[in-house]
Amino acid sequence: MTRNFLAIGECMVEMAPTGEGTYRLGFAGDTLNTAWYARRLLSEGWDVSYLTGVGRDSVSEEMLAFFEDAGIRTDYVQRDNDRTVGLYIIQLNDGERSFSYWRSDSAARQLARDRARLDAALAAADVLYFSGITLAILPKEQRGGFLEAVRAARNKGATVAFDPNLRPRLWETGEAMCATVMAAAAVSDIVLPSFEDEATYFGDAGPTETVNRYTQAGVPLVIVKNGPGEVLWQSDGATWTFQVPPVTEVVDTTAAGDSFNAAFLASHLQGTDLETSVAAGSRLAARVIGRRGALVDISQAV
Ligand code: AMP
């Protein structure tokens, strides 16, 4: 029987400089990146779907075609008559990248507006994946309903995976971000934080504090990524560490965490032990940061 991995969030139009005064149009977003890699790594026995909102204009059509070309199902993409997709431009100033966003009224922000529709989509999933960015973009009065829908799907047997992906600029306050992230963790089976962000916004002194905070919130499996440092994870009351492979030339760390999550989850969901799955996550992340861009071709063996 086919199993369904459902990622939920926002994909945006990305305008990236070509270096010749022009910009290349692409598509990217944290949860979409994870779905994209998960599709490549999960077997044929899995469907990978993306739940988001898009408009009815041609760039929205192009985004849908991009999902479908990547093998990502679009059954749960909602079409909005009055809105379109968000956009960001990357600009290079002396080699430093800066980002400008136009996403404040994107169609994706409405993905939880119709609760019955959301419940139906989540009920069809075996695995749900979302992030702190998914929550941040929702109108604040819809976040509680979204988490209730996740909890209901989990109660019916879905596995819930969550990356806090802390981005304070997307939230009305730092307190709202931290409180909502902890509420999301409380309805999750697997939480995949990055230590640097957790230290900055929760004040954790070390990865052990991060693991303990999420474990105490009731999360059965917590996996703390830490850049080039050890991955620390806790499950069933025991903790383990894994030293990630060194990367000699870090070209672009975009999507390091997103790709780690995809490879970890694909491995774990297909029955592989935790240590091997963490190793798979860090191997993919190492490949992704060695190349430019969020989505790198992983069909070639290294
Ligand atoms: P982060 O979200 O920055 O903690 O990174 C996610 C994952 O990407 C880490 O767990 C590593 O597997 C990998 N990674 C990130 N930065 C580096 C680096 N400088 N060297 C090696 N691996 C890295």
Side-chain angles (χ1 to χ4, degrees), residues 194 225-228 231 244-247 250 256-257 260 282 285 289:
S194 289
K225 298 159 280 180
N226 190 14
V231 177
V244 305
V247 176
V250 176
F260 179 101
S282 48
I289 65 179

Side-chain angles (χ1 to χ4, degrees), residues 231-283:
V231 177
L232 173 71
W233 74 96
Q234 173 147 348
S235 148
D236 287 334
T239 56
W240 291 269
T241 55
F242 178 82
Q243 181 53 58
V244 305
V247 176
T248 42
E249 202 196 343
V250 176
V251 176
D252 176 5
T253 57
T254 307
D258 307 334
S259 58
F260 179 101
N261 296 349
F264 169 78
L265 289 170
S267 174
H268 176 60
L269 294 168
Q270 294 181 115
T272 308
D273 66 88
L274 289 174
E275 180 163 10
T276 310
S277 300
V278 168
S282 48
R283 258 200 324 274

Side-chain angles (χ1 to χ4, degrees), residues 64-184:
L64 284 183
F66 165 77
F67 295 163
E68 278 160 11
D69 284 350
I72 297 169
R73 296 185 63 130
T74 56
D75 312 42
Y76 304 113
V77 176
Q78 302 172 15
R79 309 298 298 267
D80 195 314
N81 291 331
D82 306 318
R83 294 178 177 79
T84 184
V85 293
L87 175 145
Y88 63 97
I89 295 184
I90 305 173
Q91 283 181 304
L92 276 177
N93 305 308
D94 300 329
E96 281 293 305
R97 300 193 319 155
S98 69
F99 294 77
S100 301
Y101 290 91
W102 290 262
R103 72 190 304 191
S104 57
D105 192 30
S106 65
R109 290 188 181 250
Q110 302 300 321
L111 67 83
R113 183 175 50 185
D114 183 340
R115 180 63 200 279
R117 202 167 160 184
L118 180 69
D119 282 337
L122 269 49
D126 297 288
V127 179
L128 299 178
Y129 176 79
F130 68 107
S131 76
I133 296 177
T134 311
L135 293 165
I137 62 161
L138 299 180
K140 61 178 184 295
E141 61 281 2
Q142 288 176 25
R143 290 177 190 143
F146 177 84
L147 292 179
E148 273 172 36
V150 171
R151 187 197 299 274
R154 186 186 187 209
N155 287 344
K156 290 196 196 119
T159 298
V160 177
F162 171 63
D163 184 336
N165 233 333
L166 304 170
R167 297 289 178 275
R169 273 190 303 180
L170 292 176
W171 293 84
E172 50 287 3
T173 62
E175 290 75 33
M177 173 177 77
C178 291
T180 311
V181 159
M182 293 313 291

Side-chain angles (χ1 to χ4, degrees), residues 35-60:
W36 193 89
Y37 285 110
R39 175 61 287 169
R40 272 143 194 76
L41 296 166
L42 286 165
S43 71
E44 290 291 302
W46 286 82
D47 274 344
V48 175
S49 307
Y50 197 50
L51 193 164
T52 189
V54 303
R56 294 193 181 275
D57 51 348
S58 61
V59 76
S60 295

Side-chain angles (χ1 to χ4, degrees), residues 9-27:
E10 179 171 29
C11 178
M12 282 175 289
V13 174
E14 177 192 86
M15 304 297 294
T18 58
E20 290 156 14
T22 57
Y23 290 83
R24 184 179 300 114
L25 188 151
F27 298 105

